[in-house]
Structures are given as structure tokens and as C-alpha cells.
Amino acid sequence: MTNPILSDWTTPFEIAPFDTIADSDFSPALDTALKAHNAQIDAIAGNPDAPTFANTVEALEAAGEQLDKVLSVFFTVAGADSNPMREELQRDFSPKLAAHFSGISSNKALFQRLADLWARKDDLSLTDEQSRVLMLTHRGFVRAGAALTGDADARMQEIKARLASLGTSFTQNLLADEREWFMPLSEDDLEGLPDFVVDATRAAGQEKGADGPVVTLSRSIIVPFLQFSPRRDLREKAYKAWTARGANGGETDNREIAAEILALREERAKLLGYANFAAYKLETEMARTPDKVRDLLMQVWEPAKARADADAEILTQMMQADGVNGPLAAWDWRYYAEKRRKAEHDLDEAALKPYLQLDRMIEAAFACANRLFGLEFAPLDVPLYHPDCRAWEVTRNGQHVAVFIGDYFARGSKRSGARCSAMRSQAKFPTVQAPVVINVCNFAKGDPALLSYDDARTLFHEFGHALHQMLSDVTYESISGTSVARDFVELPSQLYEHWLEVPEVLAEFATHANTGAPMPQDMLDKVLKAANFDQGFQTVEYVASALVDLEFHDGAAPADPIATQAQVLEGLGMPPAIGMRHATPHFAHVFAGDGYSAGYYSYMWSEVMDADAFAAFEEAGGAFDPDRAKALEENILSTGGSREAEDLYLAFRGRLPGVEALLKGRGLISA
């Protein structure tokens, strides 16, 4: 019987046939796909003909189609709808895949062909895009250790395998802690909570099989609880559980895993001739060096900390006026900040939230994409991996562009946070293929589902990533969509957040869940005026995390990362009532894989550009200026990694921005 993962997918737009795939199909499909890919690699490496771009680089681009299918389906369900068998498979697959790809990058015959092409690159008559792909392929092999020999080569492969296993363990430990903990609430404990928080806790209780409402560690539940619960004892209990993820002792503790990961990364970098892992990692990013990253972060840290310190004094006074003595604690900040927002801006999130319906915010994201880029979205009725998922066909001028899948609700089987991925990326070689793109979020369920303003911003953020994938227009998949420098990849997503704050967008799509009435003008004005509220807190918690990440990797790996984290925060003068956005034991961006390691700063690096990029629209004809939209698509969204990130931004804007645009955008300095 043919394995459904490896069969020809005759579904609409060749979407994975999720309804026919069983967990038992994954392991045999992976084994078959790995053998097929190895055979393809051996054929390329052993080709008796002289190396050419076609028989080596393009052959590599075309290889691994079966493996791509297996991995796209498996990692989609493993991250968004896990179960014990999928977790076991993930633990089994990680070292297999690490060994497989390490074997390719250490294939000396294959690397020799690439090195030969690289030496003759100026004589190959390549297009600009082909030259870029050759450079990236050759560089990728070198950075993976292809030029190593003997013991160093063997050790590099051991390190890669171990890092893959550790990253999987880190992720699964975090998911286990998030899944297992919940705090039951009595009816009295619900007093003072707005209806949308009560509804979310009741829905969470049903999902957990509890007798009543519960607080879980899903951000969409715990943050509103910390904002609105007048019960300081319950806020403290919930906050401590939230920040203890990955540090509870026992089998799910991530502290020793983090230390080993850091040590292995340092060893890996030194095997390749770099002083430390940060120097290795940042070489290919826009920032280039740890010093430039630190300079940016510290330029933002000082005004952000000053704002946070001033805010802390005000919140402390508010708390003491409530009869609570002692210092402001981390579980107090959100509660009193929400009270302050209501007092200073007359903006009550409980009153605001009914205007931010999930379905209407999806419509808003689609409508902006239509006005900017001419995209249209039609619902698709196709089997997906979970009943919560929904799909749309994306077209332009009647032509198919992409399939977009949205998986928006939190559940115990889903990894926390929000993300965008492509089950299939855009390419024209070896055949033309349109992308299949997924946004995964963790919003609280409801009828209707209501978002916080931060949730709505997250929805627009992830859809910005999706646009980067959907509008890609390159030849080779390896440089398609979001295959760009890590500190550039957040530009399209953070830039798209700005359209949520365009007054005419909120005026049209922020309609009341019960009455259908548009958001009143005075509330709309308050929302926009309060957009930078509490930016001292938000900026401090983020920059502290980015600086700790940088410190972990810029120098010798710390034997005790928790102690190093504490030292960094003490040196910064971290406000005691603000915690890191991601403390080490649950810092999945950094420890679940190499993606954002020594690179968590990337969001802020991109924000420097996104504030300036949106200003380009405002300086022209407004948020929907057609010329600026065309320039954005032609120079950034469609180009993938076909050119250096700095060149792409210069082509769009004509210059590189300074940090002032970011500080003004966050309200940390005067406009």
C-alpha cells in the first residue's frame, strides 16, 4: 500500500492530504525519503562530468522533494497538534535528520564540486540570481564544516547531532510544563474579571477536563488574568508558574540543557575558526558583529529603562493607595498598568475587546493586502490537520498565488507563541510551485473569539510574514520568501503591524461583537493615542532578553547560564518589577534551535527599518500609496534572499535609517 505522504497529492492545490495520513506513516515515509535523498546526493557528488551550475547547484536545488513533503507535514503537526507518539517521533527524527544533513555538508566530493564552481564563478556566465545561489550554497557548506577533515570533521557531526536532540528536548520540556500546569478558579476567584477573561478561563477548563474555570500558561489567558485579577495572591501564583516554565526540576528542567547547548555552540564555532558563536552567527546578518548589536540595544535600553523607572514609581503609588505595602512586584505591574491606562487614557480593554473580533481582524488583514497588492482571498473547504484550522485560496487578477492556512486558537497540544511557516515555498525550478503558507497563533477561544489589541497586532505581524512568502517571485526555493538574513526577516512582519493602526482600517473592521456598530470615534482616538502606553515596560523586558542572549554567545560559554543571566540583569540595573520576556529555561527562540541564537536582537534591528519604511508611505500618498506598495513588493516582498538585505532596503528607501525612528515610534523620545 502506498504511503499517503509519499504518494502524488491529488488534493486541491496539492495540499497535504491530512485526512489520510496516520502517525504510523511518518517513520517509514522518512526512511524512504532519506534513502531517496541520499541516492540523489551520491549521484550529484559522483557525477563523472565536470561540475556545472546545472549538474551541481541546480541538481541540489531539485533534490529532496520526498523529504520536503515528509518534513513539511510532520513538523506542522508536531508543533501545532502534538501528541505522545508525535513527540516520540520527534525525538527519534532529530538525530536522524542531523546526521543526514551533516553527512551532506561533510561530503567531500560534493564540496569539491562546489569549490571548483566557486573558484570559476566569474567565468560561468551566471545570472545575478544564480551567482547569489552559488555563493549561498558554497558559504553554507563552509559554515557547516565541509572544509573540516579528520577528528574535527567527526566532532562537528557529533555536535550537530547532539544539538538537534537537545533542541527537541528543550521544546518538549517547555510544552510539557505549559500543558500540565493550570490553576483552578472558584466562582469567587472570578470576581473583578471582565467577561472575556471569564469566558476564556471557562473554555480552558473544558479543554483541560476540569470541573470549572482555570488559568493556564497560555499567554492569551495568563496575561489578561494578570491585568485584571484583583487577587494579588492568585496573580503571584500564576506569574511564578509562568516564569518557572522549564525550571521546575525533574525530567522537564531545561537549565542543564541550556548550558550544554551553549558549550556545544562555542565548540562548533571554534572548530570553524571563529572566536565565539556570536561572531560565527552574526557574520551573515545585517549587523555583522556583536559590537554593532550591543550598540543598538544599549541605545534603546537607556531611554527605555528611564521610562520604566518613572512608570514604576507611579504604579507603586497606585498600589500603596490600595493599601498594599512593600515594593511593586512583577505580578503587580500589569494589573496597575491596566488601571493607569484606564485612568489616563479612559481606555478599558474590557470595553475595547468586543470591537476586536478575530474574524473581523482576519478580514482587515486581508483587506489591507488587497488594497496594497491586489490579493484576494476565498475560503477553501479542504481537510486540514485540526478542526480549528481554516484555509483560503489567494489569487491576483484571477490567477492563483498561494494557499493560506490559519490556525489561531490555543490548545494543550500546540507549542506556545505565534509563527509563520511554509509547507511549500514558492519556486520556478525545477517546476513552478505556488506556496502553501501557515500562520499559527495562540488566541483564546470564544463565541465569538475576541482579541486584545496585542493579539490583533500579532495577527497582523504573522500575516506580514505570510505576505513575504506568498508574494515571493524568485527562481530557486533556497532563496524564496523568508529565506533572508535573520535580522531582516522581521521587517515585513513588523512593518505590516502598522496597518492595524491606520484609522480607516480600525474604523471599518473594529465592529462590536454584539451590535455590529463600528468603534466609536472617541474610543478609536484613545486606542491610537494609547498605542505607546507602557512602552518602557515592553521595551525593557525585550531588550533585557536580547542582551542576555548576546552575552551567552559573545565569549566563553557560561557554565551556569542562570547565574550569567542574573549578572547581566544586575549590570543593566534591571527594574525589579520587570522580568525578562523570555528567561533562559523557556527561551525557545534561542534554545529550541539555532534560529534566533545570538539573534534575538533581530526584532529590534528590523524595527529600526519598519518605522522608517512606514514613514515612506506616510511621506508619500498615505498608508495605501500605490507607488510605495509597488516598491515594497518589488524590492522586498518578492525578492526573497536574492540580494543582500541592505541592498534590498536601499532599493526600497534610498537610504538606511537610524535608531531615532524606532525611539520615536515607541514614544521613548519626543517626535
Side-chain angles (χ1 to χ4, degrees):
M1 184 175 178
T2 303
N3 190 307
I5 306 176
L6 300 178
S7 64
D8 291 334
W9 294 349
T10 58
T11 49
F13 309 108
E14 298 182 338
I15 297 173
F18 289 105
D19 56 335
T20 68
I21 295 172
D23 286 346
S24 57
D25 294 322
F26 285 117
S27 192
L30 180 67
D31 289 342
T32 299
L34 288 175
K35 288 178 183 176
H37 196 211
N38 277 328
Q40 291 170 324
I41 296 300
D42 289 343
I44 298 168
N47 190 335
D49 295 336
T52 65
F53 185 83
N55 70 20
T56 303
V57 179
E58 286 190 331
L60 283 171
E61 289 280 333
E65 180 185 6
Q66 280 191 334
L67 186 57
D68 288 344
K69 291 173 72 172
V70 176
L71 299 184
S72 69
V73 177
F74 177 72
F75 283 113
T76 294
V77 298
D81 191 25
S82 190
N83 60 37
M85 184 172 181
R86 290 172 185 173
E87 291 182 6
E88 183 179 348
L89 287 170
Q90 199 168 3
R91 289 191 292 271
D92 179 48
F93 288 1
S94 290
K96 275 188 181 180
L97 290 169
H100 174 74
F101 289 110
S102 183
I104 294 173
S105 63
S106 62
N107 186 313
K108 303 308 178 188
L110 180 58
F111 178 60
Q112 185 56 48
R113 295 181 70 85
L114 290 170
D116 176 86
L117 289 172
W118 182 244
R120 297 186 290 113
K121 61 184 181 297
D122 295 334
D123 302 322
L124 298 177
S125 300
L126 302 178
T127 67
D128 289 344
E129 188 175 335
Q130 289 173 333
S131 294
R132 176 74 174 168
V133 171
L134 172 59
M135 185 278 289
L136 292 172
T137 304
H138 178 262
R139 187 177 74 181
F141 269 73
V142 172
R143 287 171 57 80
L148 298 178
T149 58
D151 291 344
D153 185 20
R155 179 57 182 157
M156 177 63 78
Q157 295 192 53
E158 291 174 359
I159 290 172
K160 289 179 184 177
R162 181 60 178 161
L163 283 171
S165 294
L166 290 171
T168 298
S169 297
F170 190 97
T171 302
Q172 293 188 351
N173 290 345
L174 181 55
L175 177 61
D177 278 5
E178 291 171 346
R179 182 176 56 223
E180 297 303 321
W181 188 92
F182 61 88
M183 181 174 70
L185 300 175
S186 69
E187 292 300 313
D188 289 343
D189 296 337
L190 300 176
E191 186 175 345
L193 296 178
D195 289 344
F196 76 87
V197 181
V198 173
D199 292 344
T201 61
R202 293 194 191 283
Q206 290 180 344
E207 200 250 340
K208 293 295 184 186
D211 293 333
V214 304
V215 172
T216 70
L217 298 182
S218 169
R219 190 176 187 90
S220 61
I221 292 178
I222 196 166
V223 168
F225 183 79
L226 293 171
Q227 281 179 293
F228 292 105
S229 175
R231 288 283 303 276
R232 192 176 192 233
D233 57 330
L234 296 182
R235 295 200 311 268
E236 180 179 2
K237 182 178 179 181
Y239 181 85
K240 287 183 174 178
W242 192 32
T243 55
R245 291 169 294 157
N248 289 304
E251 293 183 353
T252 63
D253 198 292
N254 276 334
R255 287 172 286 191
E256 290 186 5
I257 291 176
E260 186 177 354
I261 287 173
L262 293 173
L264 289 172
R265 284 178 181 163
E266 181 191 10
E267 185 181 358
R268 176 182 174 187
K270 288 186 172 179
L271 281 173
L272 294 170
Y274 295 88
N276 53 58
F277 186 80
Y280 161 77
K281 185 67 182 293
L282 294 172
E283 180 186 49
T284 60
E285 307 298 334
M286 287 186 75
R288 303 295 183 199
T289 68
D291 286 344
K292 287 185 178 179
V293 172
R294 189 174 286 103
D295 179 59
L296 168 68
L297 293 175
M298 292 308 299
Q299 285 187 67
V300 178
W301 173 261
E302 296 300 340
K305 181 180 180 296
R307 176 65 56 81
D309 287 340
D311 290 344
E313 292 184 12
I314 295 171
L315 300 184
T316 300
Q317 293 169 5
M318 294 173 66
M319 183 182 74
Q320 292 174 349
D322 278 353
V324 180
N325 295 319
L328 185 76
W331 47 88
D332 298 318
W333 191 294
R334 288 175 175 85
Y335 179 69
Y336 285 100
E338 181 61 31
K339 278 191 166 187
R340 182 186 175 194
R341 182 170 75 154
K342 188 174 181 180
E344 293 185 1
H345 295 280
D346 193 22
L347 186 61
D348 181 357
E349 180 150 328
L352 170 64
K353 202 157 185 174
Y355 290 97
L356 299 175
Q357 301 174 69
L358 171 61
D359 286 349
R360 296 247 64 198
M361 292 299 101
I362 294 172
E363 288 180 44
F366 288 176
C368 291
N370 176 261
R371 290 185 65 181
L372 289 164
F373 310 114
L375 300 178
E376 297 182 337
F377 300 81
L380 275 177
D381 184 12
V382 292
L384 297 168
Y385 60 85
H386 192 277
D388 286 345
C389 297
R390 42 186 143 164
W392 294 264
E393 182 191 6
V394 186
T395 60
R396 180 156 58 180
N397 299 323
Q399 299 297 309
H400 179 74
V401 172
V403 170
F404 175 66
I405 299 170
D407 180 4
Y408 293 108
F409 296 123
R411 52 181 175 267
S413 62
K414 182 189 286 188
R415 183 160 52 89
S416 62
R419 53 201 173 273
C420 174
S421 61
M423 290 196 67
R424 183 173 63 236
S425 296
Q426 178 272 331
K428 300 173 186 175
F429 178 89
T431 57
V432 175
Q433 62 185 38
V436 176
V437 186
I438 303 180
N439 276 178
V440 178
C441 300
N442 271 281
F443 304 141
K445 265 192 172 180
D447 187 20
L450 304 178
L451 305 182
S452 67
Y453 198 71
D454 188 53
D455 287 338
R457 187 181 286 114
T458 295
L459 187 149
F460 269 69
H461 178 101
E462 297 306 329
F463 194 71
H465 281 309
L467 288 171
H468 202 181
Q469 295 277 17
M470 292 188 287
L471 292 172
S472 178
D473 185 22
V474 298
T475 302
Y476 301 103
E477 187 173 346
S478 63
I479 55 169
S480 174
T482 57
S483 298
V484 298
R486 182 65 63 175
D487 51 10
F488 190 71
V489 76
E490 298 297 336
L491 170 60
S493 54
Q494 293 180 181
L495 175 58
Y496 205 66
E497 293 178 31
H498 288 272
W499 274 272
L500 174 63
E501 297 181 353
V502 174
E504 62 189 280
V505 174
L506 285 173
E508 180 176 359
F509 294 99
T511 56
H512 198 279
N514 297 326
T515 67
M519 183 183 290
Q521 185 62 46
D522 65 332
M523 181 180 284
L524 176 60
D525 294 341
K526 292 170 187 174
V527 167
L528 297 174
K529 188 176 180 182
N532 286 323
F533 179 75
D534 213 23
Q535 276 295 333
F537 170 88
Q538 293 181 41
T539 308
V540 161
E541 65 165 5
Y542 165 79
V543 175
S545 297
L547 285 166
V548 168
D549 166 44
L550 185 64
E551 184 67 24
F552 280 162
H553 297 98
D554 185 21
D560 184 351
I562 304 301
T564 298
Q565 172 185 296
Q567 291 167 4
V568 173
L569 298 182
E570 182 181 2
L572 290 170
M574 183 76 169
I578 302 179
M580 291 170 64
R581 184 170 298 178
H582 305 289
T584 299
H586 52 262
F587 207 161
H589 279 80
V590 170
F591 293 107
D594 275 357
Y596 283 89
S597 55
Y600 191 61
Y601 76 93
S602 299
Y603 293 93
M604 188 143 282
W605 190 276
S606 293
E607 189 177 340
V608 171
M609 291 180 286
D610 84 62
D612 180 66
F614 191 70
F617 280 85
E618 295 176 318
E619 293 163 8
F624 294 99
D625 180 77
D627 292 335
R628 287 288 84 199
K630 182 180 180 182
L632 179 63
E633 179 178 353
E634 289 182 348
N635 295 301
I636 293 176
L637 297 178
S638 70
T639 52
S642 60
R643 295 164 59 193
E644 288 291 336
E646 184 172 307
D647 294 338
L648 295 177
Y649 192 82
L650 284 170
F652 166 71
R653 189 64 163 122
R655 58 174 171 75
L656 292 175
V659 73
E660 294 78 12
L662 178 150
L663 295 174
K664 290 175 182 176
R666 287 186 173 234
L668 298 175
I669 61 173
S670 299

